[in-house]
Short mmCIF file of all heavy atoms in Angstrom, two decimals:
data_model
loop_
_atom_site.label_atom_id
_atom_site.label_comp_id
_atom_site.label_asym_id
_atom_site.label_seq_id
_atom_site.Cartn_x
_atom_site.Cartn_y
_atom_site.Cartn_z
N VAL A 193 119.68 -30.04 -128.36
CA VAL A 193 118.91 -31.21 -127.93
C VAL A 193 118.96 -31.20 -126.40
O VAL A 193 120.06 -31.21 -125.80
CB VAL A 193 119.49 -32.51 -128.50
CG1 VAL A 193 118.70 -33.72 -127.96
CG2 VAL A 193 119.52 -32.47 -130.02
N VAL A 194 117.81 -31.19 -125.78
CA VAL A 194 117.78 -31.27 -124.29
C VAL A 194 116.85 -32.35 -123.90
O VAL A 194 115.69 -32.43 -124.30
CB VAL A 194 117.25 -29.89 -123.73
CG1 VAL A 194 117.14 -29.95 -122.21
CG2 VAL A 194 118.14 -28.73 -124.14
N GLU A 195 117.39 -33.26 -123.13
CA GLU A 195 116.64 -34.42 -122.67
C GLU A 195 116.62 -34.53 -121.15
O GLU A 195 117.68 -34.60 -120.55
CB GLU A 195 117.21 -35.69 -123.30
CG GLU A 195 117.09 -35.72 -124.79
CD GLU A 195 117.76 -36.91 -125.51
OE1 GLU A 195 118.44 -37.67 -124.77
OE2 GLU A 195 117.64 -37.04 -126.69
N LEU A 196 115.42 -34.45 -120.60
CA LEU A 196 115.32 -34.54 -119.12
C LEU A 196 114.80 -35.92 -118.75
O LEU A 196 113.74 -36.36 -119.20
CB LEU A 196 114.31 -33.50 -118.60
CG LEU A 196 114.95 -32.12 -118.29
CD1 LEU A 196 115.40 -31.45 -119.56
CD2 LEU A 196 113.93 -31.25 -117.54
N GLY A 197 115.58 -36.61 -117.92
CA GLY A 197 115.16 -37.94 -117.42
C GLY A 197 113.99 -37.85 -116.49
O GLY A 197 113.64 -36.76 -116.00
N ALA A 198 113.42 -38.99 -116.18
CA ALA A 198 112.24 -39.04 -115.34
C ALA A 198 112.51 -38.39 -114.02
O ALA A 198 113.55 -38.59 -113.37
CB ALA A 198 111.80 -40.48 -115.12
N GLY A 199 111.59 -37.47 -113.61
CA GLY A 199 111.71 -36.85 -112.30
C GLY A 199 112.85 -35.84 -112.15
O GLY A 199 113.10 -35.36 -111.06
N SER A 200 113.47 -35.52 -113.24
CA SER A 200 114.57 -34.55 -113.13
C SER A 200 114.09 -33.10 -113.32
O SER A 200 112.89 -32.91 -113.64
CB SER A 200 115.63 -34.86 -114.19
OG SER A 200 115.14 -34.60 -115.49
N ALA A 201 114.93 -32.17 -113.04
CA ALA A 201 114.58 -30.77 -113.19
C ALA A 201 115.76 -29.96 -113.64
O ALA A 201 116.90 -30.18 -113.23
CB ALA A 201 114.01 -30.20 -111.86
N LEU A 202 115.48 -28.97 -114.52
CA LEU A 202 116.52 -28.12 -115.09
C LEU A 202 116.02 -26.72 -115.30
O LEU A 202 114.86 -26.52 -115.69
CB LEU A 202 116.99 -28.74 -116.44
CG LEU A 202 118.09 -27.93 -117.21
CD1 LEU A 202 119.42 -27.97 -116.46
CD2 LEU A 202 118.25 -28.49 -118.61
N THR A 203 116.87 -25.76 -115.01
CA THR A 203 116.56 -24.37 -115.35
C THR A 203 117.59 -23.89 -116.39
O THR A 203 118.76 -23.97 -116.19
CB THR A 203 116.66 -23.46 -114.11
OG1 THR A 203 115.75 -23.95 -113.11
CG2 THR A 203 116.28 -22.00 -114.46
N LEU A 204 117.04 -23.44 -117.51
CA LEU A 204 117.90 -23.11 -118.64
C LEU A 204 117.55 -21.71 -119.16
O LEU A 204 116.40 -21.33 -119.19
CB LEU A 204 117.64 -24.15 -119.75
CG LEU A 204 118.42 -24.12 -121.00
CD1 LEU A 204 119.94 -24.37 -120.74
CD2 LEU A 204 117.92 -25.17 -121.99
N VAL A 205 118.60 -20.96 -119.50
CA VAL A 205 118.37 -19.65 -120.11
C VAL A 205 118.99 -19.68 -121.51
O VAL A 205 120.18 -19.92 -121.67
CB VAL A 205 119.03 -18.53 -119.28
CG1 VAL A 205 118.87 -17.20 -119.98
CG2 VAL A 205 118.39 -18.49 -117.89
N GLU A 206 118.15 -19.43 -122.48
CA GLU A 206 118.56 -19.44 -123.90
C GLU A 206 118.69 -18.00 -124.29
O GLU A 206 117.73 -17.25 -124.25
CB GLU A 206 117.44 -20.07 -124.67
CG GLU A 206 117.76 -20.87 -125.91
CD GLU A 206 116.47 -21.29 -126.57
OE1 GLU A 206 115.87 -22.25 -126.17
OE2 GLU A 206 116.09 -20.57 -127.51
N HIS A 207 119.87 -17.59 -124.69
CA HIS A 207 120.17 -16.15 -124.80
C HIS A 207 120.72 -15.89 -126.22
O HIS A 207 121.76 -16.40 -126.59
CB HIS A 207 121.21 -15.82 -123.71
CG HIS A 207 121.66 -14.40 -123.75
ND1 HIS A 207 122.81 -14.00 -123.10
CD2 HIS A 207 121.13 -13.28 -124.29
CE1 HIS A 207 122.99 -12.70 -123.27
NE2 HIS A 207 121.95 -12.24 -123.97
N HIS A 208 119.99 -15.09 -127.00
CA HIS A 208 120.39 -14.80 -128.35
C HIS A 208 120.81 -13.33 -128.40
O HIS A 208 120.07 -12.39 -128.09
CB HIS A 208 119.21 -14.98 -129.31
CG HIS A 208 118.63 -16.38 -129.23
ND1 HIS A 208 119.00 -17.41 -130.02
CD2 HIS A 208 117.70 -16.88 -128.36
CE1 HIS A 208 118.35 -18.52 -129.71
NE2 HIS A 208 117.53 -18.23 -128.73
N ALA A 209 122.08 -13.13 -128.76
CA ALA A 209 122.61 -11.76 -128.79
C ALA A 209 123.62 -11.66 -129.96
O ALA A 209 123.95 -12.63 -130.62
CB ALA A 209 123.26 -11.43 -127.48
N GLY A 210 124.13 -10.43 -130.15
CA GLY A 210 125.12 -10.26 -131.20
C GLY A 210 125.61 -8.83 -131.30
O GLY A 210 125.12 -7.94 -130.59
N ASP A 211 126.57 -8.62 -132.19
CA ASP A 211 127.02 -7.26 -132.51
C ASP A 211 125.84 -6.43 -132.99
O ASP A 211 124.92 -6.93 -133.58
CB ASP A 211 128.10 -7.27 -133.59
CG ASP A 211 129.40 -7.89 -133.11
OD1 ASP A 211 129.57 -8.05 -131.89
OD2 ASP A 211 130.24 -8.28 -133.97
N ALA A 212 125.98 -5.10 -132.76
CA ALA A 212 124.80 -4.22 -132.99
C ALA A 212 124.41 -4.18 -134.49
O ALA A 212 123.30 -3.84 -134.82
CB ALA A 212 125.08 -2.83 -132.49
N ASP A 213 125.36 -4.47 -135.41
CA ASP A 213 125.08 -4.29 -136.83
C ASP A 213 125.07 -5.61 -137.58
O ASP A 213 125.10 -5.63 -138.82
CB ASP A 213 126.09 -3.34 -137.45
CG ASP A 213 127.54 -3.84 -137.19
OD1 ASP A 213 127.70 -4.84 -136.46
OD2 ASP A 213 128.47 -3.25 -137.81
N GLU A 214 125.03 -6.69 -136.88
CA GLU A 214 125.15 -8.02 -137.61
C GLU A 214 123.88 -8.26 -138.42
O GLU A 214 122.79 -7.88 -138.02
CB GLU A 214 125.45 -9.11 -136.67
CG GLU A 214 124.48 -9.33 -135.48
CD GLU A 214 123.48 -10.44 -135.75
OE1 GLU A 214 123.45 -10.97 -136.92
OE2 GLU A 214 122.70 -10.76 -134.85
N VAL A 215 124.11 -8.90 -139.54
CA VAL A 215 122.97 -9.17 -140.46
C VAL A 215 122.87 -10.69 -140.71
O VAL A 215 122.43 -11.11 -141.79
CB VAL A 215 123.11 -8.41 -141.85
CG1 VAL A 215 122.98 -6.92 -141.58
CG2 VAL A 215 124.40 -8.75 -142.49
N HIS A 216 123.30 -11.47 -139.76
CA HIS A 216 123.33 -12.95 -139.95
C HIS A 216 121.92 -13.53 -140.07
O HIS A 216 120.98 -13.03 -139.51
CB HIS A 216 124.00 -13.58 -138.77
CG HIS A 216 125.45 -13.25 -138.59
ND1 HIS A 216 126.25 -13.81 -137.66
CD2 HIS A 216 126.21 -12.31 -139.24
CE1 HIS A 216 127.47 -13.29 -137.75
NE2 HIS A 216 127.47 -12.37 -138.65
N LEU A 217 121.91 -14.63 -140.79
CA LEU A 217 120.75 -15.50 -140.73
C LEU A 217 121.10 -16.61 -139.76
O LEU A 217 121.92 -17.50 -140.06
CB LEU A 217 120.45 -16.09 -142.11
CG LEU A 217 119.52 -17.26 -142.18
CD1 LEU A 217 118.11 -16.87 -141.62
CD2 LEU A 217 119.32 -17.77 -143.61
N GLY A 218 120.50 -16.58 -138.60
CA GLY A 218 120.72 -17.62 -137.60
C GLY A 218 119.52 -18.52 -137.58
O GLY A 218 118.40 -18.04 -137.47
N ASN A 219 119.73 -19.80 -137.74
CA ASN A 219 118.65 -20.75 -137.87
C ASN A 219 118.82 -21.84 -136.82
O ASN A 219 119.73 -22.64 -136.91
CB ASN A 219 118.68 -21.31 -139.31
CG ASN A 219 117.53 -22.28 -139.57
OD1 ASN A 219 116.46 -22.19 -138.95
ND2 ASN A 219 117.74 -23.17 -140.53
N ILE A 220 117.95 -21.84 -135.84
CA ILE A 220 118.18 -22.69 -134.68
C ILE A 220 117.03 -23.64 -134.45
O ILE A 220 115.85 -23.20 -134.42
CB ILE A 220 118.39 -21.80 -133.38
CG1 ILE A 220 119.56 -20.88 -133.61
CG2 ILE A 220 118.56 -22.64 -132.16
CD1 ILE A 220 119.44 -19.54 -132.94
N VAL A 221 117.29 -24.91 -134.37
CA VAL A 221 116.28 -25.87 -134.06
C VAL A 221 116.57 -26.49 -132.71
O VAL A 221 117.68 -27.03 -132.49
CB VAL A 221 116.19 -26.99 -135.14
CG1 VAL A 221 115.26 -28.11 -134.72
CG2 VAL A 221 115.71 -26.42 -136.47
N SER A 222 115.64 -26.32 -131.77
CA SER A 222 115.87 -26.86 -130.41
C SER A 222 114.79 -27.89 -130.14
O SER A 222 113.62 -27.67 -130.44
CB SER A 222 115.73 -25.75 -129.39
OG SER A 222 116.62 -24.70 -129.70
N GLN A 223 115.21 -28.97 -129.55
CA GLN A 223 114.28 -30.03 -129.24
C GLN A 223 114.41 -30.39 -127.79
O GLN A 223 115.49 -30.74 -127.30
CB GLN A 223 114.57 -31.21 -130.12
CG GLN A 223 113.59 -32.31 -129.88
CD GLN A 223 113.86 -33.49 -130.85
OE1 GLN A 223 114.05 -33.26 -132.04
NE2 GLN A 223 113.86 -34.67 -130.30
N TYR A 224 113.30 -30.34 -127.09
CA TYR A 224 113.28 -30.62 -125.64
C TYR A 224 112.41 -31.85 -125.38
O TYR A 224 111.26 -31.86 -125.81
CB TYR A 224 112.74 -29.43 -124.89
CG TYR A 224 113.52 -28.18 -125.10
CD1 TYR A 224 113.26 -27.35 -126.20
CD2 TYR A 224 114.50 -27.78 -124.21
CE1 TYR A 224 113.96 -26.16 -126.38
CE2 TYR A 224 115.23 -26.59 -124.38
CZ TYR A 224 114.97 -25.81 -125.50
OH TYR A 224 115.69 -24.64 -125.70
N VAL A 225 112.99 -32.80 -124.75
CA VAL A 225 112.20 -34.04 -124.43
C VAL A 225 112.10 -34.17 -122.93
O VAL A 225 113.14 -34.26 -122.24
CB VAL A 225 112.86 -35.27 -125.06
CG1 VAL A 225 112.05 -36.51 -124.73
CG2 VAL A 225 113.01 -35.12 -126.56
N LEU A 226 110.89 -34.13 -122.40
CA LEU A 226 110.69 -34.20 -120.97
C LEU A 226 110.12 -35.55 -120.58
O LEU A 226 108.95 -35.83 -120.93
CB LEU A 226 109.75 -33.08 -120.47
CG LEU A 226 110.43 -31.69 -120.32
CD1 LEU A 226 110.77 -31.07 -121.70
CD2 LEU A 226 109.50 -30.72 -119.56
N ALA A 227 110.88 -36.36 -119.87
CA ALA A 227 110.40 -37.68 -119.42
C ALA A 227 109.36 -37.49 -118.30
O ALA A 227 109.25 -36.40 -117.73
CB ALA A 227 111.57 -38.49 -118.96
N PRO A 228 108.68 -38.57 -117.94
CA PRO A 228 107.62 -38.43 -116.89
C PRO A 228 108.11 -37.75 -115.65
O PRO A 228 109.18 -38.02 -115.13
CB PRO A 228 107.27 -39.92 -116.63
CG PRO A 228 107.50 -40.59 -117.90
CD PRO A 228 108.72 -39.93 -118.47
N GLY A 229 107.30 -36.81 -115.17
CA GLY A 229 107.59 -36.15 -113.90
C GLY A 229 108.74 -35.17 -113.89
O GLY A 229 109.11 -34.67 -112.85
N SER A 230 109.26 -34.89 -115.08
CA SER A 230 110.39 -33.91 -115.09
C SER A 230 109.87 -32.50 -115.24
O SER A 230 108.69 -32.27 -115.57
CB SER A 230 111.33 -34.24 -116.24
OG SER A 230 110.67 -34.12 -117.48
N ARG A 231 110.74 -31.56 -114.95
CA ARG A 231 110.35 -30.16 -115.04
C ARG A 231 111.45 -29.30 -115.69
O ARG A 231 112.60 -29.37 -115.29
CB ARG A 231 110.08 -29.60 -113.63
CG ARG A 231 109.70 -28.15 -113.60
CD ARG A 231 109.64 -27.51 -112.24
NE ARG A 231 109.45 -26.08 -112.42
CZ ARG A 231 108.27 -25.41 -112.35
NH1 ARG A 231 107.18 -26.11 -112.05
NH2 ARG A 231 108.18 -24.13 -112.58
N LEU A 232 111.00 -28.52 -116.65
CA LEU A 232 111.96 -27.61 -117.31
C LEU A 232 111.47 -26.19 -117.12
O LEU A 232 110.34 -25.85 -117.48
CB LEU A 232 112.05 -27.92 -118.80
CG LEU A 232 112.90 -26.96 -119.66
CD1 LEU A 232 114.37 -27.04 -119.25
CD2 LEU A 232 112.75 -27.23 -121.17
N ASP A 233 112.35 -25.36 -116.55
CA ASP A 233 112.14 -23.89 -116.52
C ASP A 233 113.00 -23.29 -117.57
O ASP A 233 114.21 -23.32 -117.43
CB ASP A 233 112.47 -23.33 -115.13
CG ASP A 233 111.41 -23.64 -114.10
OD1 ASP A 233 110.46 -22.82 -114.01
OD2 ASP A 233 111.51 -24.67 -113.44
N LEU A 234 112.42 -22.71 -118.57
CA LEU A 234 113.18 -22.18 -119.68
C LEU A 234 112.90 -20.73 -119.92
O LEU A 234 111.71 -20.32 -120.07
CB LEU A 234 112.90 -22.97 -120.93
CG LEU A 234 113.55 -22.53 -122.26
CD1 LEU A 234 115.08 -22.57 -122.15
CD2 LEU A 234 113.10 -23.37 -123.46
#
Side-chain angles (χ1 to χ4, degrees):
Chain A
V193 179
V194 178
E195 295 174 355
L196 272 69
S200 68
L202 177 69
T203 301
L204 183 64
V205 176
E206 212 186 279
H207 178 198
H208 305 267
D211 290 345
D213 56 352
E214 58 99 352
V215 293
H216 296 187
L217 166 60
N219 182 25
I220 300 148
V221 171
S222 307
Q223 183 176 315
Y224 301 85
V225 180
L226 281 70
S230 62
R231 179 187 171 99
L232 175 66
D233 282 273
L234 176 62

